[in-house]
Amino acid sequence: MVTDKTFAGKMFDLFNILLLSLIAILMLLPFLHVVMGSFTTAEEMARKPFVLFPTVFTFDSYRYIFSTNTLFKAMGVSIGVTVVGTLISMILTSMMAYGLTRRDLDGRKTMNLMIVFTMLFHGGLIPSFLIVKNLGLIDTYMSLILPGAISAFNLIILRSFFQGLPDGVEESAKIDGCGDFGILFRIVLPLSMPALATISLFYAVNYWNSYFGAIMFMNDADKWPIQVLLRQIVIAASGMAADTSNEFVKPPEQTIKMAVIVVSTLPILIVYPFLQKYFAKGALVGSVKG
């Protein structure tokens, strides 16, 4: 281990530690404010616009949120859509990305251009709704999955990662008798775990946070994911706040919003550490290849 024992080196290290610590604190303060704010009383929130250490801890906001009978069902819908959607998206994206790496594929350049085109121009809201409606997917969970099953951005990253694998590996598999599906599922995918973990996290976060699709395609409130249900809870809390005449006894609208943020982001934060070790490597390697 090489250490710099000079005074200038020690001062430089101290400066870096202080600077990075300051940046870390600035990054953590908003999160801490949201978490602590969700446990704060409405009166204290009204007095202090920025709460880090509440004088009185209360679970009123969480009691209000979890008082909704359909909350756990909505949570199950979100988890199911996230798991199934991520699985479907990874299967489709992996197969298409691998196909686009084959140099003998007819129309390969045209398909690549069309994929990039979709990143620049989108069909719009009405065509998307009409397609889902004509496919008979209104009020079905597939309406939350299929329209975004393949992301052009994720597809390009995964295709670039596949292109970086040595050609000799694929040729050896062919000599051993592997077909295209065998090469993909037995050779390419096991060698691409960092990229697959990264893209899976991208898809999972996207499915977990998406709510606009449910607003458009889900008329049955019993099938709403938790994001839409929490949105309705916040709207209901805002309406209650507008009706009250005593500013110090108003319902905890702000604390409810913070509790909603905590409830909606906590599951995906739990998943992230398990994929974090693959995240940086997979995103970097997949993004630098042409």
Side-chain angles (χ1 to χ4, degrees):
M1 181 177 179
V2 179
T3 57
D4 190 351
K5 298 297 184 181
T6 64
F7 178 76
K10 292 180 179 178
M11 293 303 296
F12 181 73
D13 291 341
L14 179 62
F15 174 78
N16 284 336
I17 292 173
L18 293 177
L19 179 62
L20 294 177
S21 300
L22 178 61
I23 294 175
I25 292 173
L26 291 177
M27 296 295 174
L28 290 175
L29 278 179
F31 294 100
L32 187 61
H33 168 62
V34 170
V35 174
M36 291 295 105
S38 65
F39 295 101
T40 308
T41 61
E43 292 78 8
E44 185 173 1
M45 183 61 69
R47 294 195 307 269
K48 301 176 182 178
F50 195 84
V51 178
L52 289 181
F53 302 101
T55 55
V56 178
F57 274 85
T58 177
F59 293 91
D60 289 346
S61 299
Y62 292 95
R63 290 194 188 96
Y64 180 81
I65 292 175
F66 285 95
S67 65
T68 306
N69 296 328
T70 57
L71 182 70
F72 291 103
K73 183 177 181 180
M75 181 75 79
V77 171
S78 288
I79 293 174
V81 169
T82 301
V83 173
V84 176
T86 302
L87 182 62
I88 292 176
S89 294
M90 288 307 301
I91 292 174
L92 297 178
T93 304
S94 300
M95 295 178 68
M96 188 170 182
Y98 176 68
L100 291 174
T101 61
R102 300 295 300 267
R103 294 183 176 84
D104 57 345
L105 178 66
D106 295 333
R108 176 167 168 262
K109 291 185 178 179
T110 303
M111 283 189 277
N112 282 323
L113 288 175
M114 291 175 66
I115 292 169
V116 175
F117 184 82
T118 62
M119 297 177 67
L120 303 176
F121 301 97
H122 189 264
L125 183 63
I126 295 177
S128 300
F129 178 80
L130 293 177
I131 290 174
V132 173
K133 181 182 178 182
N134 291 333
L135 290 175
L137 298 178
I138 296 295
D139 270 340
T140 66
Y141 296 125
M142 282 295 114
S143 66
L144 307 180
I145 296 174
L146 293 184
I150 297 180
S151 164
F153 176 78
N154 295 338
L155 176 65
I156 292 174
I157 290 180
L158 201 57
R159 183 206 61 189
S160 301
F161 192 92
F162 288 166
Q163 287 176 339
L165 296 177
D167 295 335
V169 175
E170 183 176 341
E171 293 172 358
S172 300
K174 283 184 178 178
I175 293 173
D176 291 338
C178 269
D180 291 332
F181 284 101
I183 295 174
L184 174 61
F185 289 104
R186 299 174 63 182
I187 305 297
V188 175
L189 294 184
L191 293 175
S192 307
M193 291 308 295
L196 295 178
T198 303
I199 301 302
S200 298
L201 184 61
F202 287 165
Y203 275 125
V205 172
N206 183 60
Y207 280 119
W208 182 263
N209 290 331
S210 64
Y211 71 96
F212 192 66
I215 294 175
M216 284 199 306
F217 306 134
M218 287 293 190
N219 298 321
D220 187 356
D222 290 337
K223 296 181 179 179
W224 279 350
I226 190 170
Q227 286 75 18
V228 179
L229 182 63
L230 293 177
R231 173 178 175 270
Q232 294 301 116
I233 292 174
V234 171
I235 292 175
S238 301
M240 292 173 61
D243 293 337
T244 183
S245 58
N246 190 339
E247 62 177 340
F248 295 107
V249 194
K250 65 174 62 173
E253 177 189 354
Q254 293 298 327
T255 58
I256 287 177
K257 290 180 180 178
M258 293 178 179
V260 165
I261 293 173
V262 173
V263 171
S264 60
T265 57
L266 187 60
I268 205 68
L269 289 178
I270 295 175
V271 174
Y272 181 79
F274 297 100
L275 301 175
Q276 191 270 338
K277 62 180 180 180
Y278 300 110
F279 186 78
K281 182 180 178 182
L284 180 62
V285 174
S287 61
V288 297
K289 299 296 182 181

